[in-house]
Amino acid sequence: MESVKLEQYRTLLHALGFRATPVRLCIIELFHKAKKPLSIAEIQDDLKNDADLATIYRIVNALGVAGLIKQVDFQHGHAHYELATREHHHHLICQKCGKVVDISKCDTSGLEKQALKIGGFAKINSHSLEFFGVCSSCKNK
Ligand SMILES: [Zn+2]
Ligand SMILES: [Zn+2]
Ligand SMILES: [Zn+2]
């Protein structure tokens, strides 16, 4: 998907069969402004009294099924999510302070060729890939 401007999400929600309720738009705006993938707890922190956890879960799940957001695994024991409308990228995650850096350079063609051969698959549709390590400021602590 191409990158999408905030004003376009209302239309996009409609196109996906959702009503553009304030809470849905709020959640999408949060994702849009976020510098890194958000957990459900972080979303609820921001929405405070506007939506309870169950509502947020339900909306995030539905948006996930619709393909508007996708899950990212930071190995935190809970899921993080980001807009699937963003350009393809990976993440570099500091295991000490939680800093997240987007890595937009992606060349997995060699790996994919290998995977197809090993698995005997006809086609690979997508991949997700995160890197875990220690950032330079944590290393110097
Ligand atoms: Zn987390
Ligand atoms: Zn760090
Ligand atoms: Zn990639």
Side-chain angles (χ1 to χ4, degrees):
M1 261 195 260
E2 291 290 298
S3 79
V4 175
K5 290 198 186 71
L6 191 55
E7 312 84 74
Q8 297 175 293
Y9 283 108
R10 189 177 285 274
T11 320
L12 198 55
L13 276 178
H14 284 301
L16 292 168
F18 292 101
R19 277 192 307 125
T21 62
V23 177
R24 282 187 188 133
L25 285 170
C26 237
I27 289 178
I28 288 174
E29 190 178 343
L30 272 183
F31 278 123
H32 188 80
K33 287 183 177 161
K35 298 267 186 294
K36 56 176 189 173
L38 300 171
S39 66
I40 297 281
E42 286 167 330
I43 297 169
Q44 150 121 107
D45 253 10
D46 232 277
L47 292 182
K48 299 231 161 55
N49 302 322
D50 293 333
D52 58 31
L53 222 47
T55 307
I56 295 170
Y57 262 114
R58 217 176 41 237
I59 293 175
V60 166
N61 264 327
L63 293 175
V65 171
L68 188 60
I69 59 173
K70 63 177 182 180
Q71 206 169 311
V72 184
D73 185 6
F74 283 177
Q75 301 184 355
H76 285 180
H78 55 246
H80 285 243
Y81 303 88
E82 68 181 355
L83 288 170
T85 48
R86 294 198 38 206
E87 224 181 313
H88 178 79
H89 65 281
H90 304 142
H91 301 101
L92 182 58
I93 300 127
C94 176
Q95 290 173 300
K96 296 227 156 131
C97 70
K99 178 180 180 177
V100 179
V101 178
D102 284 354
I103 309 293
S104 53
K105 200 168 161 55
C106 172
D107 181 10
T108 54
S109 51
L111 263 177
E112 290 192 9
K113 224 180 267 171
Q114 226 178 6
L116 286 172
K117 204 172 156 196
I118 292 168
F121 273 38
K123 187 176 169 231
I124 287 172
N125 294 325
S126 68
H127 64 257
S128 56
L129 178 61
E130 324 303 342
F131 300 93
F132 297 89
V134 178
C135 73
S136 12
S137 63
C138 283
K139 183 185 172 268
N140 296 329
K141 250 174 222 163

